[in-house]
Amino acid sequence: LRYWKQTHKFGIRIPKTVAEALKIDDENGNHFWKDAIEKEMSTVKPASHILLDKNGDAVMATNYQANPTKYLLAKYNIIDCHFVFDIKLDGNFTRKARFVADGSKVDIPRSTTYSSVVSCKSVQIAFLLVALNQLDVKYCDLSGAYLNAPVAKCLYFEAGDKYGDNKGKIMVIDRALYGLKSSGRAWQNFFVGTLDQMGYVPCRSDNNVYMKAKTKPNWDLYWSYILVYVDDLLVVDYDADAVMEQIKRSYTLKGDTCLELDQYLGGNIRKYKLNDEKGPDGKGTKCWYISSDDYLQEACKMVRELSEKDGRTWNKKRKSPFYTDYRPETDTSKELGDKLASRYQQLIGILRWSVELGRIDFVTELCLLSSHNCNPREGHLEALYQIFEYIEHHKRSKLVFDPTVPGEPSYAKFNNFTDWSQEYGDIEENIPEDMPSAFGKPVKLTVYTDAGHAGNVVNQGSHTGIIIFLNKAPIHIYSKLQLTVKASTFGLEFVALRIGMEQ
């Protein structure tokens, strides 16, 4: 229902039918939607095969008894198909057309249908390990990923205009067409089988990170990783090209090639050289960084146009995300209507993803505004515009995955600590017997926690901020209002520390 109500995304009109998509192309003088439709159909057509025409006459040799139409209706279920249109989060707002089955008319499978994806934190850790252990990294996008997996239901549909001469023919679906409830899980199970044949096993902490023990030419052991985000694969290996060739034997890659890493999940990925003397050539440590520069550049352009259409003056030199005395919880301005409330939620989504891509400089302000997502007001929308003004004035921002090991902190202030063995006895940490072996260089984990006492002036709630580092690479950012109210900073700091230790 939400999809059918949505008319625009990132300021771009989203069609609901093929005819409307082609009309938008004509009005804009381009062929973005047309190209997206043709690209999709080139992968969908092989996923179904013609069985009958509308009169029930067989158009290919079958073994479906004397009356194929009767057999078809008895064994298969008919289903409708249509196009779904969207805008990709790739920094270029690429148009996406997806030919999907009407899964709402299919019974819900008894088995699990959920298909998970790799977390951004795992991706960030992978880039740290690439630099730390002198590994290679490559990226590829599988073409029509779901359509590689067999379908779980016996289904057919009547071909439409995009099937050309086969319009009106009965098409039996023999692959996991997008839109079916079981397709996501079917693809994941199918691809896991491929990775299992390659010798990769899922990581315990993220089952979309697959790992395999390997040996470098100098006999050093290391872990090879494949990170899976549906059909986007990130390979971390000493010889990533060889791993890609293995994958290419079983699947078609978009562009028929693996790519040098430039963008991943909408973020800019680049190599970075630190200003130190610890690199192999004595000219600086080589590592990687992620940024949302391209993504936010297009987003700011779109938001600026929306702001000006509303008659609002755009501030080109905003130096901070918020006014220092602004409190979203005390804002009593007029509530937004449905259209502006939808825009507010879209802008919140854009900023949330930019935080995942490394923009952590406004994470607290974003958290405060996100708590009003259900009932935003005009003042909250104005505050969002101010964050985008701040971003446009501070365009360049990188999250560098520095593999350098930090120095030891000073323990001078902790000489008189309590001997906890008196409380807990002589105990050791329980290590799982089947824990994977540690290969490569070690990492040091550091957690910084802090909290602002009674920052929320309405309910006196305190705000927690946490940054977790592996070596000097920030790999986890947390900012959220505490669920409990403490009367002193002593109590709330312990709450923040507990949350940090759990994470």
Side-chain angles (χ1 to χ4, degrees), residues 2 5-11 299 302-312 314 336-351 373 376-377 380-382 384-385 388:
R2 182 177 180 181
K5 286 185 176 181
Q6 186 180 27
T7 59
H8 291 74
K9 185 174 182 179
F10 310 132
M302 177 267 295
V303 174
R304 182 173 182 175
E305 292 175 354
L306 293 175
S307 173
E308 292 174 349
K309 284 182 180 179
D310 293 342
R312 181 184 176 277
W314 189 262
L336 297 177
D338 291 342
K339 183 177 180 180
L340 289 180
S342 177
R343 178 190 299 180
Y344 182 89
Q345 293 165 357
Q346 287 182 12
L347 298 184
I348 287 288
I350 292 174
L351 293 177
N373 224 3
R377 299 177 179 271
H380 299 146
L381 181 59
E382 172 62 25
L384 269 185
Y385 284 145
F388 279 97

Side-chain angles (χ1 to χ4, degrees), residues 159-312:
D161 294 336
K162 288 301 172 182
Y163 273 82
D165 296 338
N166 292 322
K167 178 182 178 181
K169 302 291 179 62
I170 299 300
M171 311 294 290
V172 172
I173 302 173
D174 64 353
R175 294 293 170 183
L177 196 64
Y178 292 90
L180 298 176
K181 292 183 173 68
S182 59
S183 292
R185 191 66 176 179
W187 157 246
Q188 189 173 49
N189 292 339
F190 184 82
F191 189 63
V192 167
T194 301
L195 295 177
D196 183 63
Q197 292 176 3
M198 294 171 60
Y200 285 83
V201 297
C203 175
R204 296 295 180 86
S205 60
D206 189 339
N207 61 3
N208 287 282
V209 175
Y210 296 86
M211 49 198 294
K212 179 181 179 180
K214 289 189 176 182
T215 306
K216 292 182 179 180
N218 62 359
W219 300 106
D220 286 343
L221 293 171
Y222 73 97
W223 286 106
S224 170
Y225 298 99
I226 298 179
L227 285 72
V228 182
Y229 195 101
V230 187
D231 56 357
D232 294 326
L233 306 183
L234 198 66
V235 175
V236 175
D237 194 279
Y238 183 80
D239 187 2
D241 287 325
V243 179
M244 283 293 187
E245 285 299 320
Q246 283 185 279
I247 297 173
K248 193 175 178 181
R249 295 189 196 113
S250 302
Y251 301 94
T252 301
L253 309 186
K254 289 185 179 179
D256 197 35
T257 183
C258 62
L259 304 172
E260 292 292 338
L261 209 54
D262 181 68
Q263 283 196 342
Y264 186 69
L265 302 182
N268 302 101
I269 307 294
R270 302 285 192 279
K271 292 182 179 179
Y272 191 81
K273 183 178 286 188
L274 298 174
N275 187 22
D276 58 21
E277 299 179 354
K278 298 181 180 180
D281 54 2
K283 297 182 180 180
T285 302
K286 296 180 180 179
C287 54
W288 292 82
Y289 75 82
I290 187 172
S291 74
S292 54
D293 292 346
D294 290 349
Y295 174 68
L296 284 177
Q297 181 178 356
E298 293 296 325
C300 286
K301 179 181 177 181
M302 177 267 295
V303 174
R304 182 173 182 175
E305 292 175 354
L306 293 175
S307 173
E308 292 174 349
K309 284 182 180 179
D310 293 342
R312 181 184 176 277

Side-chain angles (χ1 to χ4, degrees), residues 423-441:
E423 305 291 335
Y424 297 103
D426 186 15
I427 60 174
E428 295 182 358
E429 181 182 2
N430 291 325
I431 304 297
E433 295 180 357
D434 58 347
M435 186 178 74
S437 301
F439 298 149
K441 297 179 181 178

Side-chain angles (χ1 to χ4, degrees), residues 436-495:
S437 301
F439 298 149
K441 297 179 181 178
V443 294
K444 183 176 181 180
L445 186 144
T446 310
V447 183
Y448 292 92
T449 68
D450 198 3
H453 185 222
N456 189 303
V457 298
V458 173
N459 59 20
Q460 301 301 303
S462 302
H463 206 95
T464 297
I466 298 171
I467 303 181
I468 300 178
F469 288 81
L470 282 182
N471 289 356
K472 291 186 177 181
I475 52 91
H476 180 68
I477 311 297
Y478 178 90
S479 178
K480 193 172 182 180
L481 190 69
Q482 290 186 7
L483 298 179
T484 56
V485 177
K486 295 294 182 179
S488 66
T489 57
F490 182 83
L492 71 93
E493 292 289 357
F494 266 94
V495 172

